[in-house]
């Protein structure tokens, strides 16, 4: 047993150690407690802030609580992250070998798309003048495929005028009209056409089909409104597109449709009253042979305050008592037609085109029409031919009687062709035949009509043509067979084409 004094000392030492330990523990507690209390107080304040309503925080009548602030911040953070560009690792550059492999595998798109089966055009080749009788592929045929309405191809006076012009001026003009390309015969031709039609002035173009699609953009601009017949041919369509105007189509040759559209465009529309507005039609439609009712068109034009652009390539030299066109045919004063255009490659048997109207209309084109400003001027001998053709028409009005007699006779002969029906007007030199029962496909219809035309040519030596249409042509009228009647055709020519069509159509369409 340990001595008493030793035990007491150990006990004291132990108590002293315990006391020191308690003191240290108390000191630690005294130091921790203030921090814990401060943290608890801070958390309590934060909690109170976000749990209690914000003082006087009212937005659109809604009291904003603290949790809404937190949710708003979270939504803002999410939107911020979504708006950031995604991370894209840097691309590793291709090796030379990989580049070579990619180049070997690459196949460029063809310069021209492949031609579809049956889309190739193998037109017969003429080996003589395109008169009422011509030579095609070495064989003499009766020609109903050329728009030689007055039969002036091969006319001796016209040929003599061309020969004299070639000897005096040469073949070409070698310059646009505004840049040393104007020759006195051009001015004579413009005056001749204006005097013949009774207009103030005319302007010549070098290429017939370019006339209308140069004239339309010269007057019609972006923001203007054009109301056009849905049956207009490609050249008119191209002019409408180049103008960049707002184009609205009415049903083919349907005046009720035209009136309805004009009413919708103008009734209660203040904006329409302040912009330029045009009606664009053909006198005789190339795609149907129908004649436009000009008297009704002029009445609607005046009622709704539109301007009229009239394309007369197939009516100039044909319609009217003296061949002055659609205005003469309906007895409409020529000044009521704002702009008249026509190609000279049909009735006048030459080339080029003209636009006629007021002096202001003509002068505007001399600086603003692309086909006039930038093209080399019409070869002088063609202008001479046009003058001679107009002179011939004035001196020989009986040629119109011959033409109309031939048209009427052909209509009568073709009235009962099996599977085909006439869709054109009785006054139109374009006799248009369409299928009575279409196949449902324009492509199939055209193939069938082309087979008919080929058999008529090969078996009976009669040259006719189906209405071939480019992929650029947006006309939706039915395809058909066009026969161009000439004053130079004889009764036997008309009987021959009628008999041939009836026989071939009966074998293919019944």
């Amino acid at each position: 047993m340990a001595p008493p004094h030793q035990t007491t000392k150990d006990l004291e030492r132990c108590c002293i150690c315990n006391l020191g330990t308690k003191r240290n523990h108390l000191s630690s507690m005294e130091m921790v407690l203030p921090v814990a209390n401060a943290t608890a107080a801070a958390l309590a304040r934060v909690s109170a802030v976000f749990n209690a309503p914000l003082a006087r925080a009212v937005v659109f009548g809604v009291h904003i609580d603290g949790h809404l602030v937190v949710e708003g911040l979270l939504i803002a953070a999410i939107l911020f992250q979504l708006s950031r560009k995604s991370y894209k690792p840097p691309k590793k550059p291709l090796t030379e070998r990989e580049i070579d492999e990619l180049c070997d595998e690459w196949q460029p798109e063809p310069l021209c798309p492949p031609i579809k089966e049956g889309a190739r055009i193998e037109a017969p080749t003429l080996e003589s003048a395109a008169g009422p009788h011509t030579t095609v592929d070495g064989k003499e045929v009766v020609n109903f495929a050329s728009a030689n309405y007055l039969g002036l191809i091969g006319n001796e006076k016209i040929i003599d005028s061309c020969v004299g012009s070639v000897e005096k001026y040469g073949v070409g003009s070698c310059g646009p009209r505004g840049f040393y390309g104007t020759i006195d015969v051009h001015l004579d031709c413009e005056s001749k056409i204006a005097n013949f039609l009774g207009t103030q002035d005319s302007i010549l173009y070098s290429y017939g089909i370019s006339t209308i699609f140069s004239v339309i953009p010269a007057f019609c601009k972006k923001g203007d409104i054009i109301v056009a017949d849905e049956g207009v041919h490609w050249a008119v369509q191209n002019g409408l597109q180049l103008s960049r105007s707002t184009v609205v189509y009415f049903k083919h040759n349907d005046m009720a449709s035209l009136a309805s559209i004009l009413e919708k465009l103008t009734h209660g529309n203040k904006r329409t009253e302040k912009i330029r507005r045009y009606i664009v039609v053909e006198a005789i439609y190339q795609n149907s042979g129908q004649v436009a009712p000009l008297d009704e068109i002029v009445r609607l034009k005046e009622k709704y305050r539109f301007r009229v652009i009239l394309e007369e390539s197939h009516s100039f030299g044909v319609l009217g008592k003296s061949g002055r066109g659609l205005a003469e045919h309906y007895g409409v004063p020529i000044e009521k037609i704002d702009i008249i255009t026509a190609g000279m490659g049909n009735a006048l048997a030459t080339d080029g085109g003209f636009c006629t109207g007021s002096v202001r209309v003509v002068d505007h084109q001399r600086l603003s029409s692309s086909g006039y400003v930038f093209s080399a001027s019409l070869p002088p001998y063609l202008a001479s031919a046009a003058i001679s053709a107009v002179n011939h028409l004035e001196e020989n009005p009986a040629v119109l009687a011959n033409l109309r007699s031939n048209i009427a006779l052909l209509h009568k002969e073709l009235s009962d062709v099996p599977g085909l029906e006439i869709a054109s007007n009785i006054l139109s030199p374009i006799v248009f035949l369409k299928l009575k029962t279409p196949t449902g496909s324009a492509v199939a219809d055209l193939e069938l009509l082309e087979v008919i035309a080929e058999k008529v040519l090969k078996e009976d030596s009669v040259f006719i043509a189906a209405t071939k249409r480019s992929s650029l042509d947006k006309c939706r009228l039915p395809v058909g067979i066009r026969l161009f009647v000439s004053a130079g055709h004889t009764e036997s020519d008309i009987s021959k084409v009628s008999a041939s069509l009836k026989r071939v159509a009966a074998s293919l369409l019944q």
Side-chain angles (χ1 to χ4, degrees), residues 170 309 353 432 471:
I309 299 177
F432 194 93
S471 58

Side-chain angles (χ1 to χ4, degrees), residues 13-279:
R13 189 180 293 112
C14 183
C15 290
I16 291 171
C17 291
N18 290 337
L19 182 60
T21 302
K22 288 181 180 180
R23 283 180 177 175
N24 292 337
H25 181 68
L26 290 173
S27 298
S28 299
M29 291 295 292
E30 289 174 355
M31 294 176 65
V32 170
L33 282 174
V35 175
N37 291 335
T39 302
L43 290 173
R45 284 196 296 272
V46 171
S47 177
V49 168
F50 285 103
N51 289 330
L54 294 176
R56 293 182 298 278
V58 179
V59 178
F60 297 117
V62 179
H63 199 84
I64 305 298
D65 292 338
H67 70 89
L68 295 178
V69 176
V70 176
E71 291 172 359
L73 292 174
L74 289 173
I75 291 172
I78 291 170
L79 294 175
F80 172 74
Q81 292 295 333
L82 291 175
S83 65
R84 296 182 64 187
K85 293 183 178 179
S86 59
Y87 171 75
K88 294 182 178 180
K91 294 182 179 179
K92 182 180 178 181
L94 297 174
T95 64
E96 291 294 329
R97 180 179 178 182
E98 290 172 331
I99 293 174
D100 291 340
E101 289 176 352
L102 289 174
C103 290
D104 292 338
E105 294 173 359
W106 180 65
Q107 293 293 332
E109 287 290 327
L111 180 62
C112 301
I115 298 177
K116 297 179 181 179
E117 187 67 25
R120 294 183 181 276
I121 297 177
E122 298 178 359
T125 303
L126 274 68
E127 299 173 1
S128 65
H133 294 83
T134 187
T135 303
V136 174
D137 298 330
K139 181 171 61 174
E140 185 177 345
V141 301
V142 179
N143 184 12
F144 281 89
S146 300
N148 177 30
Y149 299 139
L150 301 182
L152 295 182
I153 289 180
N155 180 276
E156 291 184 4
K157 287 187 177 180
I158 294 177
I159 292 175
D160 290 342
S161 70
C162 290
V163 170
S165 182
V166 170
E167 290 175 348
K168 181 178 180 180
Y169 303 105
V171 176
S173 59
C174 298
R177 287 288 300 272
F179 298 91
Y180 312 107
T182 295
I183 300 173
D184 55 2
V185 70
H186 293 138
L187 303 177
D188 294 340
C189 185
E190 290 172 346
S191 297
K192 185 66 180 179
I193 291 171
N195 291 335
F196 179 70
L197 291 176
T199 55
Q200 295 179 5
D201 202 359
S202 296
I203 181 172
L204 286 182
Y205 284 81
S206 305
Y207 187 40
I209 199 171
S210 70
T211 304
I212 185 64
F213 66 69
S214 296
V215 170
I216 291 176
F219 293 95
C220 310
K221 306 296 181 183
K222 187 176 181 180
D224 296 343
I225 293 177
I226 301 176
V227 180
D229 190 290
E230 65 179 0
V232 293
H233 69 267
W234 175 82
V236 182
Q237 297 171 29
N238 193 38
L240 298 176
Q241 182 180 5
L242 292 174
S243 73
R244 300 188 299 164
S245 302
T246 300
V247 181
V248 182
Y249 289 97
F250 64 93
K251 294 180 181 179
H252 179 50
N253 228 20
D254 187 336
M255 293 301 100
S257 174
L258 174 60
S260 175
I261 289 174
L262 297 181
E263 177 68 22
K264 289 178 182 178
L265 289 173
T266 56
H267 182 68
N269 190 340
K270 296 294 184 182
R271 176 180 171 274
T272 306
E273 296 177 357
K274 300 178 181 179
I275 60 179
R276 290 173 297 192
R277 309 183 296 276
Y278 303 87
I279 299 171

Side-chain angles (χ1 to χ4, degrees), residues 45 47 83 102 110 237 276 290 364 380 391 393 395 412 432 442 453 488 491 500:
R45 284 196 296 272
S47 177
S83 65
L102 289 174
Q237 297 171 29
R276 290 173 297 192
Q290 287 292 322
H364 175 74
N391 287 335
L393 180 58
E395 296 167 1
K412 180 181 177 181
F432 194 93
E491 290 187 12
S500 179

Side-chain angles (χ1 to χ4, degrees), residues 137-456:
D137 298 330
K139 181 171 61 174
E140 185 177 345
V141 301
V142 179
N143 184 12
F144 281 89
S146 300
N148 177 30
Y149 299 139
L150 301 182
L152 295 182
I153 289 180
N155 180 276
E156 291 184 4
K157 287 187 177 180
I158 294 177
I159 292 175
D160 290 342
S161 70
C162 290
V163 170
S165 182
V166 170
E167 290 175 348
K168 181 178 180 180
Y169 303 105
V171 176
S173 59
C174 298
R177 287 288 300 272
F179 298 91
Y180 312 107
T182 295
I183 300 173
D184 55 2
V185 70
H186 293 138
L187 303 177
D188 294 340
C189 185
E190 290 172 346
S191 297
K192 185 66 180 179
I193 291 171
N195 291 335
F196 179 70
L197 291 176
T199 55
Q200 295 179 5
D201 202 359
S202 296
I203 181 172
L204 286 182
Y205 284 81
S206 305
Y207 187 40
I209 199 171
S210 70
T211 304
I212 185 64
F213 66 69
S214 296
V215 170
I216 291 176
F219 293 95
C220 310
K221 306 296 181 183
K222 187 176 181 180
D224 296 343
I225 293 177
I226 301 176
V227 180
D229 190 290
E230 65 179 0
V232 293
H233 69 267
W234 175 82
V236 182
Q237 297 171 29
N238 193 38
L240 298 176
Q241 182 180 5
L242 292 174
S243 73
R244 300 188 299 164
S245 302
T246 300
V247 181
V248 182
Y249 289 97
F250 64 93
K251 294 180 181 179
H252 179 50
N253 228 20
D254 187 336
M255 293 301 100
S257 174
L258 174 60
S260 175
I261 289 174
L262 297 181
E263 177 68 22
K264 289 178 182 178
L265 289 173
T266 56
H267 182 68
N269 190 340
K270 296 294 184 182
R271 176 180 171 274
T272 306
E273 296 177 357
K274 300 178 181 179
I275 60 179
R276 290 173 297 192
R277 309 183 296 276
Y278 303 87
I279 299 171
V280 177
V281 293
E282 292 178 55
I284 295 179
Y285 289 93
Q286 180 176 301
N287 288 325
S288 70
Q290 287 292 322
V291 176
L294 186 63
D295 52 349
E296 183 67 13
I297 291 171
V298 169
R299 186 187 69 80
L300 293 173
K301 163 221 169 175
E302 293 176 342
K303 178 180 179 180
Y304 295 102
R305 299 175 181 269
F306 275 66
R307 297 181 174 95
V308 171
I309 299 177
L310 180 63
E311 217 292 310
E312 289 217 68
S313 291
H314 295 281
S315 60
F316 176 73
V318 174
L319 294 182
K321 183 179 179 180
S322 55
R324 286 173 168 82
L326 194 63
E328 184 184 41
H329 172 69
Y330 279 101
V332 173
I334 196 71
E335 58 271 13
K336 290 193 175 184
I337 313 301
D338 300 275
I339 301 170
I340 296 175
T341 68
M344 299 189 297
N346 300 325
L348 300 187
T350 178
D351 199 2
F354 67 84
C355 178
T356 190
S358 67
V359 172
R360 293 184 63 184
V361 164
V362 170
D363 283 347
H364 175 74
Q365 295 173 68
R366 299 195 188 278
L367 294 176
S368 303
S369 180
S370 58
Y372 179 87
V373 173
F374 297 106
S375 295
S377 61
L378 183 71
Y381 72 92
L382 295 178
S384 297
I387 294 172
S388 297
V390 175
N391 287 335
H392 179 85
L393 180 58
E394 290 180 317
E395 296 167 1
N396 299 276
V399 69
L400 292 174
N402 293 339
L403 174 60
R404 289 162 189 161
S405 174
N406 286 343
I407 295 171
L409 180 58
L410 186 59
H411 267 259
K412 180 181 177 181
E413 293 287 336
L414 296 178
S415 61
D416 57 348
V417 178
L420 297 173
E421 62 182 353
I422 298 176
S424 53
N425 189 285
I426 187 63
L427 298 175
S428 170
I430 302 174
V431 177
F432 194 93
L433 296 170
K434 66 178 183 179
L435 293 170
K436 288 182 180 178
T437 308
T439 63
S441 167
V443 175
D445 289 349
L446 186 55
E447 289 177 354
L448 181 57
L449 294 169
E450 286 178 342
V451 170
I452 294 174
E454 289 174 4
K455 288 178 72 67
V456 167

